[in-house]
Amino acid sequence: MGMPIAHVMASGMQGIRAAGDLVARMQFAKRMRLKEAKEYVAKKLGVDVIELVDVEVMRNLREELDIGVVTSVPGAATGIEAKARIAELLGIPIAPVERLKSKLE
């Protein structure tokens, strides 16, 4: 029951267009409630909680931090590279990133 609710809330936060994907990751990874996850992500990104849903602010920030954007930007991180940056930024393990690290050791 929890996952569909978190997904709906993340989608309502514009998903990867804003910060919904990051908030959802914190809900799943650390079992945080929505408010707590939003506050954690906002602190890590250095923005106010209200800015997490602002597509323009988050687009610029996602490009600056190189953590993935919806539309392709030449030279910008995508896929596993973006996930690795997100894992580092949020301080959480992300399974595909961890698998890749273990294969590279």
Side-chain angles (χ1 to χ4, degrees):
M1 178 110 185
M3 187 175 291
I5 293 170
H7 178 71
V8 167
M9 295 308 292
S11 297
M13 292 184 63
Q14 305 295 332
I16 194 171
R17 292 185 62 229
D21 64 315
L22 306 176
V23 171
R25 282 191 185 280
M26 294 314 301
Q27 287 182 282
F28 298 138
K30 300 288 185 177
R31 302 184 62 79
M32 292 181 173
R33 295 249 185 227
L34 181 60
K35 182 179 181 198
E36 181 184 13
K38 285 180 183 180
E39 290 168 354
Y40 182 88
V41 170
K43 183 178 177 184
K44 289 290 189 174
L45 296 176
V47 298
D48 292 328
V49 172
I50 194 70
E51 292 177 300
L52 293 177
V53 297
D54 186 321
V55 176
E56 191 65 31
V57 169
M58 288 307 302
R59 165 87 186 199
N60 293 334
L61 187 57
R62 290 181 82 99
E63 285 182 19
E64 181 182 316
L65 297 173
D66 204 16
I67 56 174
V69 292
V70 172
T71 55
S72 180
V73 176
T78 59
I80 195 75
E81 183 181 0
K83 286 182 182 188
R85 292 180 189 281
I86 290 169
E88 185 178 327
L89 176 73
L90 297 179
I92 59 171
I94 297 177
V97 174
E98 296 303 314
R99 278 194 301 275
L100 178 61
K101 284 181 185 177
S102 72
K103 290 182 181 200
L104 296 175
E105 292 176 346

